[in-house]
């Protein structure tokens, strides 16, 4: 189907839905690199006018990646919930935007239609929105998940404590973990990106983290962000696996580049569920995504990077995850050139994920060769806090010494909680008070008592089997 719009005496034509979505996207370096971006701002606006008139039902009849050759497309179409789609079935993309921004829209209504929305629908409507629209609409969504604590409740924001070490040194990792806990971080997950991608390393780290958790009876979930096959090997070896992690993308070819298929994800999900290690729930999957992933693998099939990103959320949604994290500026300036593009992408990703029913967090980050700095990350952090993000990162000093990129620090979480009045997960809040890390109002206590409790003399012994 050809789409068109006439403006300033010129008619702009877009050969198919894929081209229309790409031309309607805000400018970003990845789409220019992929040769799918609009050639001018006028063409971009013309594409948005044409996109606004597309009926939502059209997205069910025209795939941006062929159904026959892509299992992600088949997942999107085959699992579409017609009953949930019914309340919005007669809307166009433009009318969906107005509906999302209406005063009458409730959390319950949004939750009810989530499974009736496809990734391409939510990507399309995001392209018609200003930043404030993305914030306002996302704030109306609420996605609550459970494992050893409860994440995503209203008025709360959690933190993934990221104690990475360039040599996977257990003592160094545990010291960083304790540092983060003393700042009240860690309720989303204690998540390590290992320097060595091996099953043996993953098992060693998992045992150290679990020993620490058990010693202090902490309502935390732990995760080593190794390849899913390593985690499955750890499960088979009897290691204490809480969450199964995997990076995912929006096309079958891109996922194959990660060494995964939907069948493998399903097998790992079932293995993790069988352990039943959660105490308040069994959401046991953790996924990470990022705009530009499919393009970097030459697996985008001419689809713009933001639509590809939204398609990854369909993969995540299939497995009822505890956490989904868009690592927004990690891939580099080839895909998101500067702070303006990073901020926009972070708001888009959070909005699209939440609308599709996912517990979205964001690694507010950038690489050292991007046109961005910590002031820009303060801006995105604040905007996401207002938008109701489920969790952010907590990295010592905001500088990851293993992955070599800039993120958000333990101190940054204190800032955003104070400014926006956000609390931690309730079970974690109670534990912090019992450990005398915080007072009854959730403020950090200026006391040595908690540090003495969490810094035992035999710290190295926690790494044993």
């Amino acid at each position: 189907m050809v789409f068109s719009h006439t403006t300033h005496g010129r008619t702009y034509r877009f050969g198919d839905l894929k081209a229309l979505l790409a031309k309607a996207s805000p400018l970003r370096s990845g789409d220019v690199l992929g040769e799918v971006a609009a050639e001018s701002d006028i063409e971009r606006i013309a594409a948005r006018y044409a996109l606004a008139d597309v009926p939502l039902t059209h997205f069910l009849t025209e795939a941006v990646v062929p159904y026959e050759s892509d299992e992600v497309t088949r997942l999107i179409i085959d699992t579409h919930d017609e009953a949930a789609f019914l309340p919005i079935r007669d809307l166009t993309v433009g009318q969906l935007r107005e509906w999302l921004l209406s005063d009458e829209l409730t959390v319950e209504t949004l939750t009810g239609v989530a499974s009736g929305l496809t990734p391409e629908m939510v990507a399309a409507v995001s392209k018609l929105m200003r930043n404030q629209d993305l914030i306002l609409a996302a704030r109306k969504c609420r996605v609550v998940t459970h494992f050893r604590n409860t994440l995503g409740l209203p008025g709360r924001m959690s933190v993934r404590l990221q104690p990475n070490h360039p040599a996977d040194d257990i003592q160094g990792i545990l010291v960083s973990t304790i540092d983060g806990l003393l700042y009240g971080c860690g309720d989303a997950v204690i998540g390590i990106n290992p320097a060595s991608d091996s099953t043996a390393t993953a098992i060693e780290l998992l045992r150290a983290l679990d020993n620490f958790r058990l010693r202090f009876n902490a309502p935390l979930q732990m995760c080593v962000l190794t390849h899913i096959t390593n985690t499955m090997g750890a499960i088979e070896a009897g290691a204490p696996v809480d969450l199964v992690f995997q990076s995912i993308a929006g096309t079958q070819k891109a996922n194959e580049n990660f060494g995964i298929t939907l069948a493998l994800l399903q097998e790992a999900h079932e293995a993790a569920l069988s352990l039943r290690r959660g105490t308040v729930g069994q959401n046991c999957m953790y996924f990470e995504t990022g705009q530009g992933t499919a393009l970097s693998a030459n697996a985008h099939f001419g689809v713009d990077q933001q639509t590809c990103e939204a398609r990854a959320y369909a993969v995540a949604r299939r497995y009822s995850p505890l956490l989904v994290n868009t690592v927004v500026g990690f891939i580099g300036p080839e895909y998101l050139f500067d702070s303006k593009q990073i901020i926009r992408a972070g708001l888009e990703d959070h909005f699209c994920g939440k609308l599709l029913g996912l517990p979205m967090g964001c690694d507010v980050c950038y690489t050292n060769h991007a046109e961005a700095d910590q002031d820009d990350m303060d801006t995105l952090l604040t905007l996401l806090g207002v938008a109701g993000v489920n969790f952010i990162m907590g990295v010592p000093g905001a500088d990851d010494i293993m992955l070599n990129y800039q993120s958000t620090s333990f101190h940054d979480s204190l800032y955003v909680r104070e400014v926006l009045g956000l609390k931690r997960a309730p079970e974690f809040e109670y534990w912090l008070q019992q450990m005398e890390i915080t007072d009854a109002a959730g403020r950090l206590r200026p006391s040595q008592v908690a540090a003495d409790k969490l810094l035992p003399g035999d710290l190295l012994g926690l790494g044993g089997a």
Side-chain angles (χ1 to χ4, degrees), residues 389-450:
V389 72
N390 278 33
F391 68 99
I392 59 168
M393 298 297 107
V395 177
D399 184 2
D400 192 298
I401 59 174
M402 196 282 282
L403 292 174
N404 196 29
Y405 78 115
Q406 309 304 310
S407 184
T408 47
S409 70
F410 305 143
H411 307 76
D412 294 334
S413 69
L414 295 178
Y415 148 73
V416 76
R417 291 189 197 285
E418 176 69 21
V419 169
L420 300 176
L422 298 171
K423 296 181 178 295
R424 303 168 182 89
E427 301 88 348
F428 185 63
E429 286 253 286
Y430 178 75
W431 181 80
L432 291 175
Q433 292 171 25
Q434 297 302 109
M435 293 294 292
E436 300 184 72
I437 295 174
T438 62
D439 61 20
R443 297 183 294 256
L444 296 183
R445 292 173 57 123
S447 169
Q448 188 63 33
V449 175

Side-chain angles (χ1 to χ4, degrees), residues 221-401:
Q221 40 274 341
M222 312 299 193
C223 186
V224 174
L225 282 69
T226 187
H227 191 269
I228 196 168
T229 53
N230 290 334
T231 304
M232 293 169 72
I235 292 174
E236 292 176 2
V241 173
D242 290 343
L243 307 182
V244 172
F245 165 81
Q246 183 56 49
S247 294
I248 57 174
T251 70
Q252 178 177 333
K253 184 179 178 182
N255 282 323
E256 288 171 350
N257 189 64
F258 282 135
I260 60 170
T261 62
L262 298 184
L264 182 62
L265 292 175
Q266 181 66 32
E267 182 181 352
H269 185 214
E270 291 172 0
L273 282 174
S274 71
L275 301 178
R276 301 200 64 80
R277 289 178 55 82
T279 54
V280 298
Q282 299 299 329
N283 297 114
C284 55
M285 302 296 281
Y286 176 18
F287 295 116
E288 286 192 345
T289 66
Q291 288 195 29
T293 299
L295 176 59
S296 68
N298 193 27
H300 64 300
F301 300 99
V303 179
D304 69 273
Q305 67 180 34
Q306 191 253 333
T307 300
C308 278
E309 170 73 3
R311 284 169 55 90
Y313 302 154
V315 176
R317 182 167 64 175
R318 176 70 169 176
Y319 307 102
S320 303
L322 181 75
L323 307 163
V324 178
N325 179 33
T326 169
V327 193
V328 67
F330 183 74
I331 302 182
E334 298 86 352
Y335 306 96
L336 295 170
F337 179 73
D338 57 14
S339 60
K340 181 179 178 66
Q341 294 185 14
I342 292 171
I343 289 169
R344 173 70 190 191
L347 295 176
E348 288 171 347
D349 294 351
H350 178 251
F351 162 81
C352 289
K354 280 289 184 65
L355 207 58
L356 290 167
L358 290 176
M360 290 300 296
C362 184
D363 191 342
V364 179
C365 64
Y366 62 101
T367 57
N368 290 317
H369 60 312
E371 294 293 323
D373 59 28
Q374 289 299 139
D375 286 337
D376 299 316
M377 298 306 101
D378 288 347
T379 299
L380 179 53
L381 172 63
T382 306
L383 294 175
L384 286 168
V386 174
V389 72
N390 278 33
F391 68 99
I392 59 168
M393 298 297 107
V395 177
D399 184 2
D400 192 298
I401 59 174

Side-chain angles (χ1 to χ4, degrees), residues 97 100 125-131 133-134 137 344 351:
R97 175 188 177 276
L100 290 170
V125 74
S126 75
K127 299 174 194 298
L128 305 185
M129 290 181 154
R130 290 173 54 185
N131 286 359
D133 299 334
L134 297 172
R344 173 70 190 191
F351 162 81

Side-chain angles (χ1 to χ4, degrees), residues 87-102:
I88 55 174
R89 180 180 178 82
D90 295 331
L91 301 183
T92 64
V93 175
Q95 289 168 336
L96 177 62
R97 175 188 177 276
E98 299 304 312
W99 183 76
L100 290 170
L101 299 176
S102 64

Side-chain angles (χ1 to χ4, degrees), residues 68-87:
E68 297 76 14
S69 60
D70 188 272
E71 66 175 0
V72 176
T73 299
R74 292 195 292 274
L75 173 69
I76 292 167
I77 299 301
D78 294 348
T79 62
H80 181 251
D81 188 337
E82 284 286 350
F85 184 53
L86 192 60

